[in-house]
């Protein structure tokens, strides 16, 4: 109907067409009470309850909208939908917004509401903890929740925009992780990386004084600087190489070589130093036999031929040895050992305010494969030399005697023919 000329409707004809084609353009909202399932299903919004106002709502995870990436605060968090979001907020008066804006108030993300274990309105518990890392147990619903923050000081002179990051994780009950951060006393959980052997692409599990977490390396921001909050997760059998620039303005002001070294070590290795590496993908922190110690080689403190220099680490090489063990029909990948090898470079004081850092991760396969199975035996008869010698002698004697008789008979025939002449 694209090329058909539409009929013009005059104001005087409107009532005639309204009686012929007119009808209600909307339906009244249903008055049926909302029904809730007995347990959360994947993708369902997580319900929260404000006790002071008796309001039932959903847990929000702010996300970006459109090409500008501006924050949308009413984005619901889905059950079992672990994801990381980033968005940008713009402020006209940062000093005022820092005090009054709920988006910059850490307490607004957990205060005055609780999370429902299962999506049933009468299951509200007054003493339930609130967290954004959510532990669940099948159809029994949410068992544990916790929230953690990473904050940084910003000045009004740094600009009127601020980027925020929001992460939501889900863990299955049974894999206990304690002491992920010193400020959190509640146990945390990490998903398995294999059962029992590591799965390719799964994160490596490391431990420090019993606290289990994922091995991570430096991650750069858009301007090439080292991110203070985000780090790349090291995945099994995935060789990686990252680089970024770290600012040393505060350490240079102190002029202490030891403090500069510690700052660079901390940036390369993360918030906590990795001491042990899980041999298998389902190792528990309480099982010491399931962990191997990570060998660490640090730098020398003194610089060579430079009195005003500091020997600082600029490169971290993470070398991991692994192998497949078990049956050939179902081999399992295990970690054999790991080493943190730091390469150093002399840094001259007050000569630079940034230091380029590089991190590499290398996986080496040390699998010792068995010999290939032999095929079915083939028949190759090998008889001793001269086994047919008696038969050969008899055959030769018979052949010689036959030749002798033939010669004699020929000689007699010759003599007989001569005499007859």
């Amino acid at each position: 109907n694209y090329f058909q000329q539409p009929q013009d409707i005059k104001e005087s004809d409107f009532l005639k067409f309204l009686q012929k084609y007119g009808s209600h353009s909307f339906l009244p909202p249903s008055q049926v009470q909302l029904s809730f399932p007995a347990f959360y299903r994947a993708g369902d919004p997580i319900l929260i309850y404000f006790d002071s106002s008796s309001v039932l709502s959903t847990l929000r995870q702010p996300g970006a909208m459109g090409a500008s990436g501006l924050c949308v605060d009413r984005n619901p968090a889905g059950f079992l939908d672990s994801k990381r979001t980033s968005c940008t907020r713009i402020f006209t008066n940062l000093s005022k917004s820092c005090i009054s804006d709920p988006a910059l108030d850490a307490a607004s993300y957990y205060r005055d509401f609780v999370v429902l274990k299962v999506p049933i309105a009468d299951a509200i518990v007054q003493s339930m903890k609130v967290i954004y890392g959510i532990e669940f147990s099948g159809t029994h619903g949410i068992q544990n929740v916790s929230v953690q923050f990473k904050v940084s000081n910003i000045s009004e002179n740094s600009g009127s925009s601020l980027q925020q990051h929001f992460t939501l994780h889900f863990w299955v009950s049974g894999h206990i992780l304690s002491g992920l951060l010193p400020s959190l006393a509640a146990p945390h959980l990490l998903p398995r990386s294999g059962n029992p052997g590591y799965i390719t692409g799964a994160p490596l599990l490391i431990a420090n004084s019993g606290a289990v977490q994922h091995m991570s390396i430096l991650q750069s921001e858009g301007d090439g600087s080292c991110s203070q909050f985000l780090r790349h997760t090291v995945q099994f059998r995935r060789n990686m190489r990252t680089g970024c620039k770290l600012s040393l303005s505060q350490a240079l002001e102190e002029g202490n070589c030891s403090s500069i070294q510690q700052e660079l070590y901390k940036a390369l290795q993360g918030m906590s130093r990795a001491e042990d590496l899980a041999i298998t993908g389902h190792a528990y922190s309480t099982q010491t036999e399931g962990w191997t110690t990570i060998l660490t080689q640090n730098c020398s403190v003194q610089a060579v031929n430079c009195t005003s220099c500091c020997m600082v680490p600029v490169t971290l090489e993470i070398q991991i040895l692994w192998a497949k063990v078990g049956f050939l029909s179902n081999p399992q990948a295990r970690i054999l050992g790991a080493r943190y090898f730091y390469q150093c470079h002399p840094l001259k004081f007050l000569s630079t305010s940034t230091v380029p850092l590089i991190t590499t991760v290398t996986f080496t396969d040390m699998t010792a494969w068995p010999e290939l199975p032999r095929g079915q035996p083939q028949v190759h008869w090998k008889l001793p030399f001269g086994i047919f010698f008696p038969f050969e002698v008899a055959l030769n004697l018979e052949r010689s005697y036959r030749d002798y008789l033939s010669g004699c008979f020929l000689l007699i025939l010759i003599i007989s023919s001569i005499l007859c002449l």
Side-chain angles (χ1 to χ4, degrees), residues 373-396:
R374 298 178 180 178
Q376 295 296 328
Q378 302 295 327
V379 179
H380 296 290
W381 295 105
K382 294 182 179 180
L383 301 177
F385 177 75
I387 189 172
F388 295 106
F389 178 73
F391 304 99
E392 292 177 356
V393 172
L395 184 61
N396 292 335

Side-chain angles (χ1 to χ4, degrees), residues 228-241:
Q228 299 181 9
F229 310 117
L230 304 179
R231 291 175 65 88
H232 288 295
T233 300
V234 178
Q235 300 175 347
F236 181 68
R237 295 187 63 184
R238 300 283 194 248
N239 295 338
M240 304 176 64
R241 179 183 176 89

Side-chain angles (χ1 to χ4, degrees), residues 206-217:
I206 59 174
N208 180 10
S209 301
V212 182
Q213 54 187 303
H214 291 157
M215 180 184 290
S216 62
I217 59 176

Side-chain angles (χ1 to χ4, degrees), residues 136-390:
F136 70 97
S137 177
T139 58
H140 296 286
I142 296 174
Q143 304 296 314
N144 199 353
V145 207
S146 96
V147 61
Q148 56 181 335
F149 299 93
K150 293 181 180 179
V151 297
S152 61
N153 295 325
I154 58 175
S155 61
E156 190 173 3
N157 298 328
S158 62
S160 59
S161 64
L162 172 67
Q163 188 177 46
Q164 293 179 314
H165 305 278
F166 304 91
T167 304
L168 184 66
H169 287 294
F170 290 87
W171 299 284
V172 181
S173 300
H175 193 151
I176 297 178
L177 165 66
S178 59
L180 180 61
L181 290 177
S183 60
L184 297 177
H188 293 259
L189 306 174
L190 281 181
R192 290 178 174 178
S193 295
N195 187 20
Y198 273 101
I199 299 175
T200 300
L204 292 186
L205 302 178
I206 59 174
N208 180 10
S209 301
V212 182
Q213 54 187 303
H214 291 157
M215 180 184 290
S216 62
I217 59 176
L218 284 171
Q219 179 175 340
S220 63
E221 297 285 0
D223 57 354
S225 62
C226 298
S227 176
Q228 299 181 9
F229 310 117
L230 304 179
R231 291 175 65 88
H232 288 295
T233 300
V234 178
Q235 300 175 347
F236 181 68
R237 295 187 63 184
R238 300 283 194 248
N239 295 338
M240 304 176 64
R241 179 183 176 89
T242 62
C244 59
K245 293 183 179 181
L246 182 66
S247 176
L248 293 176
S249 56
Q250 182 177 358
L252 287 175
E253 291 178 0
E254 298 177 0
N256 189 343
C257 178
S258 178
S259 63
I260 296 177
Q261 286 180 330
Q262 294 301 320
E263 182 176 351
L264 292 177
Y265 277 123
K266 184 177 180 180
L268 288 169
Q269 66 192 11
M271 295 182 60
S272 59
R273 178 174 175 269
E275 296 179 349
D276 301 312
L277 177 61
I279 297 176
T280 59
H282 72 332
Y284 291 86
S285 58
T286 56
Q287 299 173 345
T288 57
E289 66 277 4
W291 300 82
T292 180
T293 303
I294 299 177
L295 304 179
T296 304
Q297 183 175 347
N298 293 335
C299 301
S300 175
V301 178
Q302 300 297 330
V304 180
N305 299 327
C306 184
T307 56
S308 61
C309 294
C310 179
M311 208 67 171
V312 297
V314 294
T315 301
L316 169 60
E317 295 182 7
I318 303 177
Q319 303 166 354
I320 301 173
L321 304 180
W322 69 280
K324 292 183 178 181
V325 298
F327 295 102
L328 290 175
S329 59
N330 187 25
Q332 300 294 314
R334 293 167 57 93
I335 299 294
L336 301 180
R339 182 177 74 158
Y340 276 36
F341 179 71
Y342 293 93
Q343 294 184 4
C344 305
H345 184 77
L347 175 67
K348 193 171 183 179
F349 287 107
L350 304 179
S351 62
T352 179
S353 60
T354 59
V355 177
L357 302 180
I358 297 176
T359 307
T360 61
V361 181
T362 305
F363 289 86
T364 304
D365 187 358
M366 303 295 293
T367 303
W369 295 99
E371 295 182 2
L372 296 177
R374 298 178 180 178
Q376 295 296 328
Q378 302 295 327
V379 179
H380 296 290
W381 295 105
K382 294 182 179 180
L383 301 177
F385 177 75
I387 189 172
F388 295 106
F389 178 73

Side-chain angles (χ1 to χ4, degrees), residues 4-18:
Q4 294 184 5
Q5 184 69 22
Q7 181 182 0
D8 293 334
I9 300 178
K10 299 179 181 180
E11 184 177 358
S12 58
D13 299 333
F14 185 79
L15 293 177
K16 180 179 65 175
F17 284 100
L18 178 62

